[in-house]
């Protein structure tokens, strides 16, 4: 589970972000720092539902790698559209939009296995796409 590790006020812009930390921009004068645990994609540390695993592995086996890559790409337009429908709080939505645009500009390894490419395409790392257990963990455990 992600946790809040710092609050930066105006004038404290030089916060030394670690690899799994992201800025959450609240407004022009306040930024919170959220940290994800390194164990997010630990495939061995989670209980697997045998019925879900069987169904997932059957579907996964039917897909070609190229089809999987395409299916798991989301355009920035789709991200913003989904945000407008799923996040009713305007301040919260703006914070997520700012985080997304910041990730497009600078990249953000804290979100791995999610990656945002320079043109705004949201996708998964190649290592995650190629590993059935990691994909299962992402969709069925972290959902």
């Amino acid at each position: 589970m992600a946790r809040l590790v710092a609050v930066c006020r105006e004038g404290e812009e030089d916060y030394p972000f670690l690899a799994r930390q992201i800025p959450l921009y609240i407004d022009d004068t306040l930024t919170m720092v959220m940290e994800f645990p390194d164990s997010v994609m630990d495939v061995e540390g989670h209980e697997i539902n045998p019925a879900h695993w069987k169904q997932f592995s059957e579907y996964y086996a039917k897909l070609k790698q190229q089809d999987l890559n395409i299916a798991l790409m989301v355009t920035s337009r789709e991200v913003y559209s989904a945000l407008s429908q799923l996040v009713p709080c305007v301040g919260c939505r703006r914070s997520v939009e700012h985080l997304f645009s910041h990730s497009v500009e600078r990249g953000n390894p804290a979100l791995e296995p999610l990656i945002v490419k320079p043109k705004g395409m949201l996708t998964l790392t190649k290592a995650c796409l190629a590993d059935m257990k990691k994909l299962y963990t992402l969709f069925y455990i972290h959902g």
Side-chain angles (χ1 to χ4, degrees):
M1 180 60 74
R3 64 188 181 104
L4 181 66
V5 294
V7 176
C8 304
R9 302 199 185 286
E10 191 173 17
E12 300 175 345
E13 291 85 15
D14 295 334
Y15 183 84
F17 288 95
L18 300 177
R20 301 290 291 169
Q21 295 179 343
I22 60 170
L24 296 177
Y25 301 99
I26 307 307
D27 60 33
D28 293 339
T29 63
L30 183 65
T31 301
M32 293 200 257
V33 180
M34 187 169 66
E35 181 176 81
F36 296 97
D38 288 329
S39 63
V40 166
M41 289 309 292
D42 178 17
V43 295
E44 303 304 322
H46 303 286
E47 190 173 320
I48 292 178
N49 178 314
H52 289 162
W53 174 253
K54 183 177 186 287
Q55 182 180 31
F56 181 81
S57 58
E58 287 172 4
Y59 290 151
Y60 182 88
K62 292 178 184 179
L63 291 171
K64 295 178 187 165
Q65 191 64 44
Q66 183 179 356
D67 295 334
L68 187 63
N69 293 347
I70 292 169
L72 294 174
M73 285 186 187
V74 181
T75 66
S76 58
R77 186 175 181 205
E78 292 170 314
V79 169
Y80 289 120
S81 176
L83 283 173
S84 68
Q85 295 172 23
L86 299 172
V87 184
C89 169
V90 175
C92 298
R93 184 169 56 243
R94 285 197 178 127
S95 182
V96 175
E97 288 170 349
H98 194 269
L99 172 63
F100 184 76
S101 63
H102 180 269
S103 296
V104 169
E105 293 169 11
R106 297 188 182 106
N108 202 329
L111 300 175
E112 284 186 13
L114 294 173
I115 54 173
V116 182
K117 296 190 174 189
K119 293 192 178 184
M121 187 70 68
L122 178 67
T123 189
L124 297 170
T125 61
K126 289 181 182 181
C128 186
L129 287 169
D131 188 324
M132 183 170 50
K133 261 191 163 174
K134 284 185 179 180
L135 274 178
Y136 175 88
T137 301
L138 183 64
F139 291 132
Y140 283 85
I141 308 297
H142 299 295

